[in-house]
Amino acid sequence: MVGTIKKWLLPVGRPVKKFFRDRRWNWMYAITFPRYYDRWKREPIQKKKILFVEQRYSQLSDNFQLLYERLMAQQKYEIHVHFLRQRDVTRRQFEKNCKAMLKDMATAEYVFLDDASKVLGRVEKRPETLVTQVWHACGAFKKFGMSTASLKFGGNQKTIKKYPAYSNLDYVIVSSPKVAWAYREAMDLEDKPTQILAAGVSRTDVYFQKGRRQKALEKLYGLMPDAKGKRVILYAPTFRGTISQAQSPKELDVARMQEKLGEEFVLLMKHHPFVKERPGLPERAKGVFAEDMTEKMTIEELLFVADVCVSDYSSVVFEYALFEKPMAFLAPDLSEYFDWRGFYYDYQELKPGPV
């Protein structure tokens, strides 16, 4: 039997191990999780019980944190947090994390998400539970979800519909009414009762809190004393490739930047959290002119201290626009990225700075 499958699969580039691995994952999403949720949703709803479901990381995202703190401060909700950690635990542990969340969700009155979730996508959600997708980024820049169905980055339309990541949503919060159409397309919400609310993104609230910039500067100077008295360039690119094998671009010539700008500027790097192996820095530049702050400072702290932001296709530019400071775009692979993932708006018209 295995020999027959192998003979059939290998010529079209689908190794046997991958075939059975994908089959196990699909079974888990389509059968295991819905059945497990159904088992527990017969219990009565617990009023004022709130779930925060963090899909990928081991701590609350920026967009979740402020919302969580505000709700906790009211002291009238029972708040539970679940970290599914899809990318950094074994399949068995991920399944265990998901089951714990689904059991808890079965009696929750409110659920908050900030990313795609196939776990919730296939269950038959009880109507008493309200699910709100707050999303994790501002604006609509590079495509995602159903918008990438015909591109290299995305899956095909049939697979996306079979294993939906954006169904069972009662509300989707976006940063502006002008981008609602893009989220409706990406999340496949046409002709569905989901309401898209342009209520703003909670992660941007921090930029209007007094004293936050000064604290960010003090943290920077503690980590990099050579930054005192100099202007700050922040380089914050998005990732390339797939989520599981994400890479940062390598075109930035740090040594030449130091030669030309080292007297007046320092360069801070903030790579996308999906990237595991980040490009190194020249020894001569480390700590003196350039520093990788990916693990040391949050993106909000870095936007506070930056005098200019250099990015490419990242939605971080929507947040930095609030500061009304200069931006530049390093996009040598623009045509390849367009074919790979694409944009919701014309790149040359949208970008608020030179490419």
Side-chain angles (χ1 to χ4, degrees), residues 120-261:
L120 271 71
R122 283 294 296 260
V123 303
E124 189 176 336
K125 181 182 76 71
R126 61 193 304 176
E128 307 99 308
T129 299
L130 293 179
V131 178
T132 300
Q133 171 66 260
V134 300
W135 204 235
H136 55 271
C138 298
F141 205 162
K142 54 186 182 289
K143 291 185 175 182
F144 69 99
M146 188 62 77
S147 301
T148 63
S150 61
L151 300 170
K152 297 174 184 177
F153 179 80
N156 61 64
Q157 191 175 90
K158 182 179 179 182
T159 302
I160 294 174
K161 285 184 175 292
K162 187 176 181 181
Y163 299 101
Y166 304 104
S167 61
N168 284 319
L169 302 177
D170 294 287
Y171 301 102
V172 175
I173 309 298
V174 298
S175 56
S176 164
K178 291 186 177 181
V179 300
W181 70 270
Y183 284 81
R184 188 174 290 111
E185 175 186 292
M187 296 181 179
D188 194 27
L189 299 178
E190 299 293 346
D191 303 319
K192 292 181 181 177
T194 304
Q195 295 186 48
I196 298 181
L197 306 178
V201 178
S202 66
R203 62 183 289 165
T204 60
D205 288 5
V206 298
Y207 302 128
F208 302 93
Q209 294 175 356
K210 292 182 179 179
R212 292 297 292 261
R213 183 177 186 275
Q214 186 58 38
K215 287 182 180 179
L217 282 170
E218 291 171 1
K219 185 173 181 178
L220 170 62
Y221 297 152
L223 292 167
M224 190 181 184
D226 283 75
K228 285 186 178 181
K230 294 186 177 181
R231 299 170 71 190
V232 175
I233 302 170
L234 171 64
Y235 179 51
T238 193
F239 69 96
R240 304 301 195 273
T242 62
I243 291 174
S244 61
Q245 297 179 322
Q247 296 180 333
S248 276
K250 300 178 176 63
E251 286 83 3
L252 196 70
D253 191 338
V254 178
R256 190 166 183 215
M257 288 185 73
Q258 182 178 16
E259 179 187 336
K260 298 289 185 180
L261 305 171

Side-chain angles (χ1 to χ4, degrees), residues 274-293:
F274 289 168
V275 176
K276 297 301 183 184
E277 296 184 14
R278 300 187 290 271
L281 292 170
E283 286 299 323
R284 183 170 172 267
K286 281 184 181 178
V288 179
F289 170 71
E291 193 70 61
D292 186 344
M293 294 294 187

Side-chain angles (χ1 to χ4, degrees), residues 269-273 278 292-298 302:
M269 321 282 280
K270 181 69 171 179
H271 297 283
H272 195 282
R278 300 187 290 271
D292 186 344
M293 294 294 187
T294 305
E295 303 289 345
K296 300 173 183 177
M297 295 181 72
T298 67
L302 290 167

